[in-house]
Amino acid sequence: MAGAEKPMFAMDGNDVPFEPGQTILQAALAAGRYVPHLCFHPEFKPHGSCKLCTVKINGRTVASCTTLAKQGDEVESETPEIQDLRRNLVQFLFVEGNHFCPSCEKSGSCMLQAVAYDLGVMAEHFSPFFPSRPIDASHPDVLLDFNRCILCELCIRASAEVDGKNVFALSGRGAKKHLIVNAESGRLADTRLAVEDKAMDVCPVGVILRKRRGFQVPIGERKYDQHPIREVAVGKATARHASGKPSPQGPSKEGA
Amino acid sequence: MTAIDPAPVTRRPRVATAWLGGCSGCHMSFLDMDERLIELAGKIDLVYSPIADVKVFPADVDVTLVEGAVTNDENEHAARTIRRNSRFVVSFGDCATAGNVTAMRNRFTREELLQLAYVDLARGEIPTIPNDTTLAKLLVRARPLHEFVPVDAFLHGCPPSADEIWLAVSALVEGRKLELPAAYQRYG
């Protein structure tokens, strides 16, 4: 590759360089172009479940987190059509769970909330399900509030792949699919989950919370209170790539 | 904020605020506009509000801010009257917009709820579930305002800030499009 011109695709009319093997989403983030996403995490294999990163390539809608970048692709991302689709997906997630922002410890650091701000979601639009999902406060150090789960499976992946503990799993099908604790009793206290686990730090919403830490950072001073998610996500991507992984040499937008 | 233009108002705007299933926090925030209320009072007629002693929602209202979710039959009736009589209806705060705190009761049945509130947690009195026929009846679930009537705009926050309310109300009574800076879109 040395000296060779980097391959490029076009996103909304802008050239985006990529390394062979990178997905559209990875390349876009590395180049400082935000694509809304929830189940994608830079440290994990793309999952492709939330579909929020959907883009249109040569007329086909695909999840950009699982689609490899190709030279010359014409990618539509922030078109009114795609943004409307994304807005609907976020509204679906809101109505399927119980997302009471004022009483949520994750408010201000919540990706679902931040993505909804980014997309300008003014209301849920669809009829809320108001499901009954009791919390699990059995663990001495961790609170689980299933009301907020968006089924991204990041905790499942982190617990299985990094922690080697398999604490979480999904159960049920379709609209009844839900997060469960992988213990015979179903209680978090009967697992080996520890506060140091990777699974503690990947939840994009407010399901997995450390006890006795509520409001340590005041509302209004939290991550997405300070910076819109489209800036945070891009900064994060470049910082991560700088430390270890093959660098996609995209221009850093940090401080730009 | 929304693509819908408020109806052009050629006379002194008739403004109303209504309090459905909410804690009145949004109205407290309305009062937090402080001295700007004096300026506002010079521009509008407040024709109906919890802070104005008017018993019946009037006809021919230009802008109505509605606080709270629709949680009982009286709220539902009020929502329909407000919609019929208002040109521009604003969901005022997170309860009207999404159910929010008022909707937290939705995981219980009404019977469980009344039992808990008026019997199980009652102290020092003869526990009785109020059943006077003049009292509003709880709906099966508390729901957002737009589930009952079309809503023209949404103000977020629990409560929306006084600054946000000021910007929104100023725009609407002057017949301007309601477009708030992104920083004002905050749930909770």
Side-chain angles (χ1 to χ4, degrees):
Chain A
M1 283 298 292
E5 277 289 298
K6 267 177 166 286
M8 302 257 204
F9 62 87
M11 177 174 269
D12 296 335
N14 298 288
D15 285 337
V16 178
F18 66 93
E19 301 281 347
Q22 264 189 324
T23 63
I24 301 223
L25 179 62
Q26 284 167 339
L29 291 177
R33 303 211 145 267
Y34 177 63
V35 178
H37 57 269
L38 284 169
C39 73
F40 171 80
H41 188 296
E43 294 170 32
F44 289 87
K45 209 175 132 195
H47 195 246
S49 61
C50 78
K51 304 295 179 204
L52 203 63
C53 69
T54 293
V55 294
K56 215 170 199 180
I57 303 175
N58 309 326
R60 281 184 66 217
T61 49
V62 296
S64 65
C65 69
T66 55
T67 306
L68 292 179
K70 282 206 315 292
Q71 168 73 29
D73 269 347
E74 296 282 338
V75 180
E76 293 172 39
S77 178
E78 299 208 12
T79 62
E81 181 196 357
I82 297 293
Q83 291 288 76
D84 276 349
L85 286 175
R86 291 175 181 154
R87 213 168 282 125
N88 278 356
L89 288 173
V90 168
Q91 287 167 326
F92 293 154
L93 290 172
F94 268 97
V95 299
E96 282 173 12
N98 293 312
H99 298 277
F100 299 121
C101 298
S103 64
C104 180
E105 165 57 18
K106 200 65 179 267
S107 185
S109 314
C110 169
M111 279 182 78
L112 180 66
Q113 195 188 43
V115 157
Y117 296 156
D118 185 74
L119 291 166
V121 174
M122 299 312 298
E124 293 170 348
H125 182 80
F126 303 102
S127 273
F129 289 14
F130 295 122
S132 180
R133 299 188 192 162
I135 62 168
D136 181 340
S138 63
H139 194 284
D141 302 315
V142 183
L143 174 71
L144 281 188
D145 190 333
F146 296 104
N147 290 290
R148 303 154 183 170
C149 182
I150 56 170
L151 306 176
C152 69
E153 299 189 36
L154 274 168
C155 59
I156 300 175
R157 292 183 267 161
S159 186
E161 295 168 22
V162 182
D163 306 328
K165 293 184 181 177
N166 273 315
V167 168
F168 299 101
L170 289 188
S171 180
R173 295 269 174 196
K176 295 207 188 311
K177 188 188 268 191
H178 61 287
L179 183 67
I180 56 164
V181 171
N182 214 351
E184 205 162 327
S185 65
R187 295 165 74 243
L188 195 63
D190 298 325
T191 69
R192 291 187 294 133
L193 182 80
V195 281
E196 303 79 29
D197 287 356
K198 185 70 182 170
M200 290 297 301
D201 293 319
V202 291
C203 182
V205 291
V207 178
I208 305 173
L209 299 169
R210 288 175 168 80
K211 288 185 176 175
R212 298 175 293 278
R213 295 276 292 272
F215 298 97
Q216 271 195 346
V217 181
I219 298 272
E221 294 176 20
R222 298 172 176 196
K223 186 160 49 170
Y224 304 121
D225 293 333
Q226 305 283 343
H227 304 284
I229 191 167
R230 61 174 49 234
E231 290 172 18
V232 175
V234 167
K236 211 174 13 183
T238 38
R240 286 243 167 74
H241 282 296
S243 61
K245 298 201 173 172
S247 167
Q249 309 301 324
S252 168
K253 283 286 151 94
E254 273 177 324
Chain B
M1 179 112 207
T2 171
I4 305 162
D5 276 311
V9 181
T10 49
R11 58 181 154 85
R12 205 173 146 88
R14 289 164 58 80
V15 176
T17 74
W19 177 14
L20 307 185
C23 69
S24 103
C26 297
H27 274 87
M28 292 300 120
S29 201
F30 186 94
L31 293 177
D32 277 343
M33 286 195 284
D34 297 334
E35 66 270 27
R36 287 171 291 192
L37 287 169
I38 299 166
E39 188 182 338
L40 188 64
K43 287 186 192 167
I44 63 158
D45 286 332
L46 188 67
V47 293
Y48 181 90
S49 174
I51 57 166
D53 190 15
V54 180
K55 303 297 182 203
V56 179
F57 195 87
D60 202 20
V61 178
D62 295 306
V63 177
T64 303
L65 305 184
V66 183
E67 171 185 343
V70 176
T71 193
N72 61 36
D73 56 355
E74 189 187 11
N75 294 159
E76 183 177 355
H77 182 258
R80 296 191 195 288
T81 306
I82 288 164
R83 180 68 272 184
R84 211 164 36 241
N85 294 0
S86 312
R87 263 179 279 286
F88 202 86
V89 174
V90 181
S91 274
F92 179 29
D94 282 353
C95 290
T97 299
N100 198 34
V101 176
T102 310
M104 283 179 160
R105 63 122 162 143
N106 287 349
R107 57 168 296 213
F108 304 103
T109 67
R110 290 171 291 184
E111 292 70 27
E112 286 168 349
L113 209 68
L114 293 170
Q115 175 72 25
L116 192 67
Y118 290 100
V119 180
D120 298 350
L121 298 176
R123 274 188 212 144
E125 293 161 37
I126 302 164
T128 319
I129 293 175
N131 60 357
D132 192 287
T133 50
T134 60
L135 290 174
K137 300 243 177 325
L138 288 177
L139 301 178
V140 175
R141 282 176 161 182
R143 308 194 79 94
L145 180 64
H146 62 263
E147 292 261 73
F148 295 84
V149 296
V151 168
D152 301 307
F154 300 88
L155 289 185
H156 297 124
C158 184
S161 68
D163 289 344
E164 178 178 3
I165 302 168
W166 171 249
L167 288 175
V169 172
S170 302
L172 290 174
V173 300
E174 287 163 18
R176 285 186 281 119
K177 193 183 274 192
L178 185 46
E179 281 174 327
L180 296 179
Y184 286 105
Q185 195 190 7
R186 288 285 177 269
Y187 315 148

